[in-house]
């Protein structure tokens, strides 16, 4: 009943999901405050750091988000989320044992695979726990865990490093550096929270997935064949000769483009891994079109849905870059210690992100009641407001000015998350939510996370100016505006199709 009050248990369950998302982003974002120490200890450069934070995590997060998103549509979501939480928490702790860049990259890949369970399960659960009139608000509350975790990761990581190094000035147990101890400290609590998540009650789906007659595990296996190279060739061959030829043509085009860009930039691991992700996503999209034409039509084939995905991906291109590089930039520019950065950058960022994502969700719900494109219009804040802030803040400014601008940047970019997530969920049918979330996250990861932080790091390495690298990420803004325009033109038509 859309107008009935939401039961208290649903609000309690939402609070648990907020804690999950909080740990999700503490584990992911803590790399920011540790970046300079990792760079010195492991002999890395800024492009390597951008690769570790972005691409190594993002590609596998996106790839496994596809089959796991489909599994969330067909299996026990609470159980799946608990398993994922155990995996990413364990891999975060394992990051603390890394002795070189390759080992840390493997651990980051594991974190990406585990975290791929979070949003498909959470968005689908929220869709069942809350009526449409409150969905933007509920997703905003859930998403606040992202920004609070992201901000407080700087405070937690900085404090652990400073305390650890002062407690063991002559050599720490097991030879662990402060940054390694920080990974261990934030990874272990997830094991406890996983038990709490497992205790949640799975809600009844309003439109259950009995459409799919096969076992959820057979569906998962099929999705893995469709998305994980080189199994993708087998999946294409099963669909016929034409599908196989199309898949091979896509593979050849991606290989050629990855080789060319790798040759021009000198970054083999970045663009070969990115190429792997692009090819895998293309393979899965072609398979989805063959197997579930209706879901394909409302996702990949929908200008409204894909416009939202690309527009928010452009926001993430900029947003992930400033979120990750703010602490290293301030540490290098203003010569302040990590604990101070945690208070001056991390705590305000947590507040700004919380206010932005909650405010963005409420604004999205209010506008959606007035105009069909109301939720989409909120994305303009995340696209336009950061432009002058970055141009000013990453120039020659005082530390105080930089801290204020960082707070405003977090406030502005965070408004778009709940609005875009709610908008994308409203453009598909209930049984498509997990799959739609996986596709939505492909935009945030392949466009935003895997390219934004790396672009800033690459330009920084090439020019010796990290501020210029961050400014370079603004190249994504015009593409985001174009995608948003296309989405706004198409949303009314999609809404009418869903109402039929």
């Amino acid at each position: 009943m859309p107008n009935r009050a939401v039961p208290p248990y649903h609000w309690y369950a939402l609070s648990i999901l907020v804690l999950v998302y909080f740990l999700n982003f503490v584990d992911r974002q803590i790399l920011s405050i540790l970046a300079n120490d990792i760079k010195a200890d492991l002999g890395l450069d800024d492009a390597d750091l951008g690769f570790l934070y972005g691409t190594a995590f993002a590609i596998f997060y996106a790839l496994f988000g596809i089959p796991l998103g489909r599994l969330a549509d067909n299996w026990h979501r609470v159980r799946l989320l608990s398993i994922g939480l155990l995996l990413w928490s364990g891999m975060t702790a394992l990051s603390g044992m890394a002795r070189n860049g390759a080992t840390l990259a493997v651990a980051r890949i594991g974190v990406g695979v585990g975290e791929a369970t979070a949003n498909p399960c959470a968005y689908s659960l929220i869709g069942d726990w809350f009526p449409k009139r409150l969905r933007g608000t509920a997703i905003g509350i859930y998403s606040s865990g992202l920004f609070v975790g992201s901000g407080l990761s700087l405070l937690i990581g900085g404090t652990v490093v400073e305390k650890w190094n002062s407690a063991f000035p002559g050599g720490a147990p097991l030879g662990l550096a402060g940054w390694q101890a920080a990974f261990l400290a934030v990874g272990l609590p997830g094991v406890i929270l996983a038990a709490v998540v497992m205790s949640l009650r799975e809600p009844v789906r309003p439109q259950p997935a009995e459409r799919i007659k096969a076992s959820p595990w057979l569906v998962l296996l099929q999705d893995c064949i469709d998305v994980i190279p080189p199994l993708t060739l087998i999946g294409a061959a099963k669909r016929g000769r034409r599908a196989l030829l199309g898949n091979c043509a896509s593979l050849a085009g991606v290989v050629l483009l990855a080789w060319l860009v790798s040759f021009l930039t000198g970054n083999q691991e970045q663009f070969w891994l990115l190429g792997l992700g692009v090819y895998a996503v293309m393979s899965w999209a072609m398979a989805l079109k063959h197997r579930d034409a209706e879901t394909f039509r409302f996702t990949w084939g929908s200008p409204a849905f894909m416009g939202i995905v690309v527009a928010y991906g452009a926001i993430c291109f900029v947003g992930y870059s400033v979120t990750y590089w703010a602490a290293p930039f301030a540490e290098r520019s203003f010569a302040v210690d990590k604990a101070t950065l945690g208070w001056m950058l991390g705590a305000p960022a947590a507040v700004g992100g919380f206010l932005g994502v909650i405010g963005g969700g409420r604004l999205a719900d209010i506008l959606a009641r007035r105009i069909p494109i109301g939720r989409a219009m909120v994305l303009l804040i995340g696209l336009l407001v950061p432009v002058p802030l970055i141009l000013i803040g990453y120039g020659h400014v005082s530390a105080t000015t930089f801290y204020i601008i960082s707070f405003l940047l977090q406030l502005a970019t965070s408004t778009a998350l709940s609005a875009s997530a709610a908008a994308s969920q409203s453009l598909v049918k209930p049984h498509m939510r997990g799959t739609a979330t996986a596709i939505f996250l492909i935009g945030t990861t392949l466009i935003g996370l895997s390219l934004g932080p790396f672009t800033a790091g690459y330009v920084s390495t090439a020019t010796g100016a990290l501020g210029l690298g961050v400014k370079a990420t603004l190249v994504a803004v015009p593409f985001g505006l174009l995608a948003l325009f296309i989405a706004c033109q198409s949303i009314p038509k999609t809404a009418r199709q869903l109402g039929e």
Side-chain angles (χ1 to χ4, degrees):
M1 299 295 292
N3 295 318
R4 183 175 295 175
V6 176
Y9 182 82
H10 293 186
W11 292 107
Y12 160 74
L14 178 61
S15 70
I16 300 301
L17 294 184
V18 172
L19 288 177
V20 171
Y21 214 21
F22 170 81
L23 278 187
N24 182 303
F25 263 80
V26 168
D27 291 356
R28 184 188 307 190
Q29 189 65 29
I30 197 170
L31 191 62
S32 174
I33 195 67
L34 309 178
N36 287 336
D37 288 358
I38 294 172
K39 178 180 180 180
D41 283 0
L42 302 185
L44 307 177
D45 60 28
D46 283 346
D48 295 326
L49 291 175
F51 171 79
L52 282 172
Y53 173 73
T55 313
F57 172 93
I59 296 302
F60 290 89
Y61 179 80
L63 293 192
F64 282 86
I66 293 168
L68 292 174
R70 290 266 293 169
L71 185 59
D73 282 340
N74 302 297
W75 192 55
H76 197 288
R77 292 162 289 183
V78 168
R79 199 170 300 161
L80 178 60
L81 180 58
S82 302
I83 294 170
L85 176 55
L86 277 174
L87 175 59
W88 88 63
S89 299
M91 296 304 287
T92 299
L94 185 62
S95 301
M97 309 304 293
R99 303 293 181 178
N100 53 57
T103 306
L104 186 54
V106 170
R108 293 289 295 172
I109 288 171
V111 174
V113 173
E115 291 194 3
T117 63
N119 280 341
C121 292
Y123 284 8
S124 182
L125 288 168
I126 289 171
D128 288 347
W129 279 328
F130 292 88
K132 188 174 181 180
R133 63 186 171 84
L134 289 175
R135 205 162 289 152
T137 301
I139 290 177
I141 294 172
Y142 165 72
S143 301
S144 68
L146 181 164
F147 297 101
V148 175
S150 180
L152 293 188
S153 70
L154 303 184
L155 179 58
I156 294 169
T159 301
V160 171
V161 170
E162 296 291 340
K163 296 292 186 182
W164 185 268
N165 290 340
S166 62
F168 304 104
L174 303 177
L176 296 178
W179 62 268
Q180 293 173 306
F183 275 124
L184 290 168
V186 300
L188 297 178
V191 177
I192 300 172
L193 183 59
V196 179
V197 173
M198 187 68 79
S199 70
L200 294 177
R201 298 196 298 264
E202 177 79 10
V204 177
R205 299 176 192 262
Q207 189 172 347
E210 58 250 25
R211 300 170 62 254
I212 300 176
K213 303 300 182 182
S215 160
W217 302 106
L218 291 177
V219 174
L220 176 65
L221 177 61
Q222 180 61 59
D223 282 324
C224 288
I225 291 174
D226 288 338
V227 77
I228 299 178
L231 299 177
T232 46
L233 295 173
I234 299 174
K238 290 173 63 178
R239 299 193 302 274
R241 181 180 177 184
R242 184 176 180 181
L244 179 60
L245 290 175
N247 190 279
C248 290
S250 300
L251 176 60
V254 170
V255 167
L256 179 62
L257 184 60
W259 174 83
L260 178 62
V261 180
S262 297
F263 175 77
L264 294 175
T265 62
N267 282 269
Q268 304 292 324
E269 67 279 0
Q270 164 70 18
F271 291 103
W272 281 113
L273 189 56
L274 181 60
L276 174 72
V278 171
Y279 163 68
V281 169
M282 292 173 65
S283 297
W284 177 68
M286 290 186 286
L288 182 67
K289 183 178 182 180
H290 174 82
R291 189 175 61 250
D292 191 345
E294 184 187 39
T295 297
F296 180 90
R297 180 165 65 92
F298 279 101
T299 53
W300 292 107
S302 167
F305 182 88
M306 291 307 300
I308 294 295
V309 169
V310 174
Y312 186 64
I315 294 171
C316 290
F317 190 100
V318 177
Y320 275 125
S321 299
V322 296
T323 299
Y324 177 60
W325 288 112
F329 178 82
E331 192 173 8
R332 298 176 197 179
S333 301
F334 310 122
V336 292
D337 60 74
K338 286 180 170 53
T340 301
L341 284 178
W343 284 107
M344 302 306 296
L345 277 179
V351 174
F354 178 83
L355 295 176
V357 75
I358 298 297
R362 287 298 300 149
L363 179 60
D365 284 343
I366 292 170
L367 292 178
R369 289 195 288 268
R370 288 165 170 77
I371 53 175
I373 62 172
R375 288 192 175 105
M377 295 303 295
V378 178
L379 274 68
L380 283 173
I381 299 173
L383 283 168
L384 296 177
V385 174
V387 175
L389 295 176
I390 289 175
L391 292 176
I392 296 170
Y394 284 84
H396 298 287
V397 297
S398 67
T400 301
T401 301
F402 181 77
Y403 297 147
I404 294 172
I405 286 178
S406 294
F407 167 79
L408 294 176
L409 275 170
Q410 190 74 291
L411 181 67
T413 55
S414 63
T415 59
L417 174 55
S418 49
S420 57
S424 65
Q425 292 284 293
S426 69
L427 295 171
V428 299
K429 296 182 178 181
H431 66 270
M432 303 173 184
R433 287 176 186 150
T435 304
T437 301
I439 299 171
F440 176 74
L441 295 176
I442 287 171
T444 69
T445 51
L446 288 187
I447 298 173
L449 187 54
S450 66
L451 282 174
F454 171 80
T455 298
Y458 177 77
V459 173
S460 173
T461 300
T463 64
L466 180 54
L468 181 60
V470 175
K471 291 177 183 178
T473 64
L474 293 175
V475 69
V477 172
F479 296 98
L481 290 172
L482 176 61
L484 183 60
F485 174 78
I486 293 172
C488 290
Q489 294 291 309
S490 306
I491 285 174
K493 178 181 177 180
T494 301
R496 288 193 297 271
Q497 291 173 341
L498 288 169
E500 294 174 354

